[in-house]
Amino acid sequence: MLVAIALSFLAGLLISINRVIVARLSFEIGAMASSFWNHVVGMIFMLLIVFIPEDASTVLNISSIPWYCFVGGAMGAIFVAINSWVIPALGATKTILLVIGFQMLSSTLIDFFFGRLHSIGNALLGTCFIICGFLLGLRRSKT
């Protein structure tokens, strides 16, 4: 459990740093181009990670995977492109708070739909706290 928590913290750190770097690159070459290079480098990195320890035939056996499982890649690309546009306008903190807030809201609704929530009230309260944090950040920046 502690390893999973530590890896979650690391993932949060890495995504924050990645969003800022990709947004900075979007100033130089544009949002879509920075998203493209983010995914090209990510693909090369993943190919190295996957093919070094694994048998290539296992990795490339995609015939048993349902088509809709590949939609995640497109969603990830859209996510990166949107962040490349939004972070320069709102800043990293506000953008990430909004993303996390609405991610929490949609995750809560998905978990509720599949019966995986123990307390929808607690989940919605946590989501409200995240959104309130964003709103407080907006209020402070106007003064």
Side-chain angles (χ1 to χ4, degrees), residues 76-140:
I78 293 168
F79 172 77
V80 171
I82 288 171
N83 277 293
S84 297
W85 284 319
V86 176
I87 287 175
L90 295 179
T93 302
K94 291 175 188 165
T95 300
I96 290 172
L97 277 173
L98 275 176
V99 167
I100 292 171
F102 288 104
Q103 180 181 1
M104 288 293 298
L105 180 60
S106 59
S107 297
T108 299
L109 295 174
I110 290 168
D111 281 349
F112 178 73
F113 178 76
F114 287 105
R116 305 218 13 130
L117 272 183
H118 300 294
S119 170
I120 192 165
N122 288 343
L124 290 174
L125 182 63
T127 301
C128 287
F129 281 136
I130 292 169
I131 294 170
C132 286
F134 170 78
L135 294 173
L136 285 171
L138 276 182
R139 184 174 165 259
R140 182 172 179 108

Side-chain angles (χ1 to χ4, degrees), residues 46-67:
M46 288 306 300
L47 286 172
L48 291 173
I49 289 175
V50 168
F51 284 125
I52 289 173
E54 297 275 338
D55 176 21
S57 64
T58 304
V59 175
L60 296 175
N61 184 15
I62 62 172
S63 62
S64 63
I65 301 172
W67 67 268

